[in-house]
Amino acid sequence: MYIKCLAVGPLEGNCFIVADEASNKCIVIDPGDEPDRIMDSVKERGFEVVYIVCTHGHFDHIGCVGDIKQETGAKIVIHKDEIPTYHAAKDMAGYWGFDIDALPEPDIKVQEGDFVKFGDLSFEVFHTPGHSPGGICLYAEGLAFTGDTIFAGSVGRTDFPGGDINKLRDSFRRILSLPEETKILSGHGPATTVGKEKRTNMFSFNWLT
């Protein structure tokens, strides 16, 4: 498995290129900005983008899905409960003083227990609401892409429309119930592990007791 992380845009959202090197098929997770930079990384390795996976619908994670789709023909994947947030992303960006292009309609609406498969790789979809109604994580043994559900040392904020701190607590607990060696690749900031977050994340001290 090949994984590359690009921190893109003014909010430095983590965009991940994840590829099955045997087939050269890949997915792009959360392309929030800088489409040329993302595509340069894809082309450098000769990958075929199969899916564009949106862990949630906030503009800093989906701002250039249209550019990536237009260039690759890849299908946009998002949780079915996240569609309203996705459609509101352009207005949300404007509120923050940013502008994004109109977004194409998602192609695949996933839910809990679905799988994102490409080449010989397969990631299970966890529905992890709280930061937003239809937030998802992608999980394969030893690895979790968590969007803005959990960060190294913190969690996603819940004061945006659709946020719910009680649901976020449950989602946080679910991620930290995974094996301690599981690597967490989140929507912002550095990588971490389940074990490290159990011991050091400030939310663990209240939410895991």
Side-chain angles (χ1 to χ4, degrees):
M1 186 190 309
Y2 170 91
I3 301 173
K4 181 160 187 175
C5 176
L6 299 170
V8 298
L11 301 184
E12 296 190 328
N14 287 337
C15 172
F16 294 98
I17 299 166
V18 186
D20 169 46
E21 293 180 279
S23 66
N24 272 352
K25 295 185 184 297
C26 79
I27 62 174
V28 175
I29 302 173
D30 288 354
D33 204 349
E34 302 183 63
D36 291 342
R37 186 174 164 218
I38 296 168
M39 287 307 307
D40 284 348
S41 292
V42 170
K43 293 174 182 177
E44 180 182 11
R45 302 288 301 220
F47 293 143
E48 175 192 353
V49 183
V50 180
Y51 299 116
I52 303 162
V53 180
C54 308
T55 63
H56 61 294
H58 292 156
F59 73 90
D60 55 321
H61 292 262
I62 63 170
C64 67
V65 293
D67 301 88
I68 306 300
K69 181 176 177 62
Q70 184 175 10
E71 185 152 356
T72 66
K75 294 182 178 180
I76 299 169
V77 178
I78 196 167
H79 192 275
K80 62 184 182 65
D81 292 347
E82 195 69 0
I83 298 302
T85 305
Y86 179 89
H87 286 154
K90 186 171 178 62
D91 289 340
M92 182 183 181
Y95 179 81
W96 281 68
F98 300 108
D99 184 43
I100 63 172
D101 292 335
L103 297 165
E105 283 295 316
D107 300 287
I108 300 174
K109 300 170 186 176
V110 293
Q111 57 188 339
E112 171 72 28
D114 287 343
F115 286 85
V116 176
K117 300 179 180 180
F118 52 104
D120 291 330
L121 299 179
S122 180
F123 285 87
E124 185 176 358
V125 174
F126 289 178
H127 180 207
T128 50
H131 178 63
S132 63
I136 62 170
C137 298
L138 295 184
Y139 175 70
E141 186 174 352
L143 183 62
F145 294 92
T146 61
D148 285 3
T149 298
I150 181 173
F151 308 123
S154 191
V155 296
R157 57 195 293 177
T158 58
D159 57 337
F160 294 138
D164 187 314
I165 195 160
N166 291 318
K167 290 181 179 179
L168 183 64
R169 179 194 61 207
D170 292 342
S171 296
F172 178 86
R173 288 172 170 170
R174 181 178 189 189
I175 296 302
L176 293 194
S177 72
L178 296 171
E180 290 203 355
E181 65 273 16
T182 302
K183 188 174 184 179
I184 293 174
L185 297 175
S186 61
H188 299 271
T192 185
T193 65
V194 166
K196 182 176 180 180
E197 295 313 300
K198 280 184 176 180
R199 294 187 297 272
T200 65
N201 193 301
M202 60 181 177
F203 288 88
S204 293
F205 303 116
N206 291 322
W207 285 0
L208 296 184
T209 56

